[in-house]
Amino acid sequence: MSAESPAIPAAEHSDLHDRPATGETILEVADLVKHFPIRGGIAKRQVGSVKAVDGISFDLKAGETLGLVGESGCGKSTTGRSIIRLLDPTSGSVKFKGHEMATLPRRQVRDFRREVQIVFQDPYASLNPRLTVRNIVGEPMKIFTDLSTKARRERVSDLLARVGLSPEHGNRFPHEFSGGQRQRIGIARALALNPQMLVLDEPVSALDVSIQAQVVNLLAELQDEFGLAYLFIAHDLSVIRHICDRVAVMYLGKIVEIGERKQIFRNPTHPYTQALLSAVPVPDPRKRGARKRIVLTGDVPSPANPPSGCRFRTRCWKAEDKCAAEEPLLEPRGFDHPSACHFAEADPVLEGTVPDR
Amino acid sequence: MTEPILSIRDLVTEFATPDGTVHAVDHVSYDVYPGETLGVVGESGSGKSVTVMSVLGLIPQPPGKISNGEILFEGRDLLRLSNAQLRKVRGKDIGMVFQDPMTSLNPVLKVGHQIAEAMQVHADVPDDKARLRTIELLELVGVPNAEARYDQYPHEYSGGMRQRGMIAMAIANEPKLLIADEPTTALDVTIQAQVLEVLSKAKEETNAATILITHDLGLIAEMADRVVVMYGGRVVETGDVDTIFHEPRHPYTLGLISSLPRLDQDLERLVPIEGQPPSLINLPSGCAFHPRCHLGQGRERCRTESPPLVEVGTAHRSACHFTDEMGREIALIESEMGTAIEGVDQ
Ligand SMILES: Nc1ncnc2c1ncn2[C@@H]1O[C@H](COP(=O)(O)OP(=O)(O)OP(=O)(O)O)[C@@H](O)[C@H]1O
Ligand SMILES: Nc1ncnc2c1ncn2[C@@H]1O[C@H](COP(=O)(O)OP(=O)(O)O)[C@@H](O)[C@H]1O
Ligand code: SF4
Ligand code: SF4
Ligand SMILES: [Mg+2]
Ligand SMILES: [Mg+2]
């Protein structure tokens, strides 16, 4: 298996299938919104909406990993699913290699689906329990290509070997595998069509640490080998730091800060990012108390009814009147990366722990 | 050294299942001293919870069976107490906090009521006093509007708040020992930070010894004084927290550390443990870790002889035949990770 000789013939040539050069922007998301209706009353009329994703923008380059991090319910999965069109966005634009998804002809939507694949968090729920591993991994090829049965078989064996499983594993069913192995199966399936981009929705969150490290290393190798772009969704900032080139921090349906890994971890400017970095336990007892402690009060408000102005203001220790009145936009504000805080200021929360290289 | 408040000796707990006997806890011994926080770490299925469930008398029998050992709490063997006697210890001298608060909070009773009742079961406290004390406790654990919250049901609390409610209940009778089994695993990090602060405060208030069970080495590093590392139903290493993180003498402990992505530094590479955790029905022969052990390299002794947990330093024990080779092993892993483990400056 190699990136230069993709085993998958394109049914028809489409520039969506052209391998991009590293560094070329392949995904552009602008003002993406996804609201879920809340229905109530006897008539089941819409009485409100969950503003799961409420106007986010970012782009992703070929070969790059962008981390999407934030706490439960902030809209990470909804973002990922809206991008690959598992959900219909309420509004906004998603462009893949310059093509606007909302207006893409049906045939090209198929092309897009081949190029952008997803791996889910829950290795138990995301694999069809009635199919053998061979059929699970081979299914996308059956749907999207006219490869012969023999060619598919060979490719499945290659893929299984590549993710660290043996060909004999192909004849078994998902329930016979551990969580880490199932995640490898999900990754093999996602790679089957030789895609350009993967949406990885918490691919290692359910795994024990030793297995998590195996899968993290595997993902890094595959990225190098195939020049994949990753949208890596996680709530674990340590994993994000290890794997991502750039990081977007989400809170209640918005991106509050985005930047290169170093910018986010060394010089966070948004209070929420700072609070997150101060809250994650560091596995070194000698660094106890070396960090500034920011303990937020209260819980995350409901996305059905987000606070006015800055959504973080109900938990922010710096909030002032302006924060309730005016929504802070995601802008540079004099720093090297944008922040959605009226009073953004650099605070190297992690200083005092070992500096990075 | 002072006497331990809890002493688990040679505990064996098994479960009969259709596939065979699950050896969930296999001759486990560890001590907990007054006032300390003992961290118990290990991957899922390593027997962490079953050990403390055995302490609490909460093993369903059958299918479970405690077939060996002693659990000395203040000198008394809990395994010899009647259920009625055990109930007096549980919830009074020993408080509990679990991962899922819904397993210990009754969904149809008001939270305040449950806490008050937990007090009244164990002592003769009049209703009005119990109510006042409960509100105090809810305030202590940071439940906002404690008075109004007293009369709410668990489902009206958020996840973090329920966890606080459970901590309030656990410390209501000023226990001498607090057992917290993955108390923050289901919570977001900012909420986890709040709950940990509450746990520390509760501990200060009661000076209870605490067993903190978690799979998160970060939590252990932040909270624990001493550490027990479990693998395959056995204790493989124990020591003080600094020793465990900086001078591990068991390859499994080292593997956990080298698997961890770090918030505080860039690593060249994670160095995972190969393979998968063992089946507790069919534990590997000899050292249960041998099929995954980089140091063992399948050596005869590892495959045939179960290594006993022996002293390898001051208050430091490890169950490995080749602990004397650990220095070299650490150096090797350090070079792969691109960071130092041993001998980091204080
Ligand atoms: N199909 C749906 N109908 C209604 N609300 C939904 C739906 N899917 C998601 N939501 C809501 O949208 C918000 C964002 O959900 P999402 O799953 O994107 O969060 P997340 O950031 O992925 O969280 P987690 O870390 O828990 O996976 C939540 O409030 C969620 O309850
Ligand atoms: N009621 C039960 N019946 C059968 N097996 C059980 C039961 N409770 C626990 N076990 C098994 O005991 C082993 C240890 O479990 P546990 O102590 O819960 O692990 P952990 O270290 O994750 O807390 C596991 O293999 C688990 O499946
Ligand atoms: S805009 Fe105001 S409330 Fe929002 S993060 Fe900044 S200071 Fe806090
Ligand atoms: S006894 Fe052998 S297999 Fe077990 S941990 Fe030590 S070196 Fe590894
Ligand atoms: Mg999600
Ligand atoms: Mg457990």
Side-chain angles (χ1 to χ4, degrees), chain A residues 234-252:
Chain A
H235 63 269
D236 182 335
L237 278 149
S238 308
V239 172
I240 289 275
R241 174 168 192 161
H242 186 73
I243 210 162
C244 298
D245 303 305
R246 285 192 304 131
V247 181
V249 181
M250 279 187 82
Y251 187 80
L252 263 188

Side-chain angles (χ1 to χ4, degrees), chain B residues 250-252 287-290 293 295-296 299 302 305 307 319-322:
Chain B
H250 196 283
Y252 176 66
C287 173
F289 188 55
H290 86 254
C293 185
L295 176 61
R299 279 183 266 193
C302 302
E305 213 181 300
C320 168
H321 295 308
F322 300 104

Side-chain angles (χ1 to χ4, degrees), chain A residues 242 357, chain B residues 257-258 260-262 265-270 337-339:
Chain A
H242 186 73
R357 280 163 292 141
Chain B
I257 294 170
S258 65
L260 269 191
R262 301 283 298 249
Q265 52 183 299
D266 293 330
L267 302 176
E268 257 154 46
R269 204 175 95 79
L270 305 180
M337 292 169 72
T339 192

Side-chain angles (χ1 to χ4, degrees), chain A residues 71-72 178 181 208 210 213-214 217 241 281-284 286-288 291 293 296 298-299 315 354 356-357, chain B residues 43-44 158 188 190-192 194 218 221-222 224 242 246 259 263-264 266 269-270 273 275-276 292 344:
Chain A
E71 294 176 290
S72 187
S178 67
Q181 287 175 318
D208 268 320
S210 71
Q214 296 172 359
N217 284 358
R241 174 168 192 161
V282 167
D284 184 349
R286 289 181 189 170
K287 290 176 186 167
R288 260 186 215 177
R291 247 180 324 169
R293 266 266 170 259
L296 297 176
D299 289 319
R315 303 174 78 199
V354 167
D356 53 8
R357 280 163 292 141
Chain B
E43 294 179 280
S44 59
S158 69
D188 276 323
T190 63
I191 308 296
Q192 164 169 289
Q194 296 171 0
E222 301 260 358
D242 192 81
H246 293 292
S259 293
L263 181 74
D264 55 339
D266 293 330
R269 204 175 95 79
L270 305 180
I273 303 170
Q276 293 164 54
R292 307 178 73 190
V344 183

Side-chain angles (χ1 to χ4, degrees), chain A residues 68-341:
Chain A
L68 205 53
V69 66
E71 294 176 290
S72 187
C74 69
K76 307 180 293 295
S77 297
T78 305
T79 301
R81 282 159 202 245
S82 302
I83 287 171
I84 62 160
R85 287 279 188 295
L86 279 180
L87 290 170
D88 267 330
T90 305
S91 64
S93 153
V94 175
K95 283 187 192 159
F96 181 69
K97 301 175 96 180
H99 296 269
E100 175 58 54
M101 286 299 114
T103 55
L104 205 64
R106 281 257 304 268
R107 157 159 298 132
Q108 293 209 333
V109 170
R110 263 176 77 92
D111 293 336
F112 168 73
R113 289 234 154 100
R114 285 178 53 165
E115 297 300 339
V116 183
Q117 297 284 325
I118 186 162
V119 176
F120 295 102
Q121 162 171 11
D122 184 352
Y124 297 87
S126 59
L127 302 176
N128 185 337
R130 284 181 299 273
L131 294 184
T132 61
V133 166
R134 184 166 290 288
N135 285 331
I136 289 172
V137 176
E139 201 179 26
M141 288 184 264
K142 209 166 160 182
I143 299 173
F144 286 98
T145 75
D146 37 26
L147 286 178
S148 69
T149 313
K150 181 164 170 286
R152 283 207 308 267
R153 255 191 109 74
E154 270 169 20
R155 182 158 171 82
V156 168
S157 296
D158 283 353
L159 285 162
L160 289 179
R162 186 59 200 88
V163 299
L165 296 170
S166 67
E168 300 84 72
H169 284 131
N171 302 323
R172 301 204 207 149
F173 291 90
H175 73 265
E176 298 174 59
F177 292 90
S178 67
Q181 287 175 318
R182 286 185 226 211
Q183 210 53 300
R184 291 174 193 269
I185 297 167
I187 293 168
R189 177 181 57 185
L191 291 176
L193 298 171
N194 201 13
Q196 295 169 34
M197 174 184 159
L198 296 187
V199 173
L200 299 155
D201 190 356
E202 310 245 16
V204 297
S205 304
L207 307 177
D208 268 320
V209 30
S210 71
I211 310 296
Q212 171 178 299
Q214 296 172 359
V215 176
V216 163
N217 284 358
L218 173 66
L219 287 170
E221 286 164 25
L222 293 172
Q223 177 167 50
D224 283 351
E225 194 170 326
F226 302 113
L228 293 162
Y230 288 161
L231 179 63
F232 191 95
I233 297 173
H235 63 269
D236 182 335
L237 278 149
S238 308
V239 172
I240 289 275
R241 174 168 192 161
H242 186 73
I243 210 162
C244 298
D245 303 305
R246 285 192 304 131
V247 181
V249 181
M250 279 187 82
Y251 187 80
L252 263 188
K254 299 263 184 199
I255 291 178
V256 297
E257 183 163 5
I258 185 167
E260 286 165 23
R261 174 184 50 207
K262 274 211 172 110
Q263 296 169 338
I264 298 295
F265 284 90
R266 272 196 183 159
N267 258 332
T269 66
H270 195 284
Y272 179 60
T273 314
Q274 291 161 358
L276 281 179
L277 290 178
S278 106
V280 181
V282 167
D284 184 349
R286 289 181 189 170
K287 290 176 186 167
R288 260 186 215 177
R291 247 180 324 169
K292 179 154 127 189
R293 266 266 170 259
I294 304 169
V295 177
L296 297 176
T297 51
D299 289 319
V300 182
S302 158
N305 203 359
S308 67
C310 174
R311 294 183 177 198
F312 185 56
R313 71 177 162 82
T314 54
R315 303 174 78 199
C316 183
W317 67 99
K318 283 165 69 178
E320 293 185 23
D321 292 347
K322 184 178 181 187
C323 306
E326 214 179 292
E327 181 179 335
L329 301 179
L330 187 62
E331 294 170 343
R333 300 173 190 275
F335 298 96
D336 56 5
H337 66 284
S339 172
C341 169

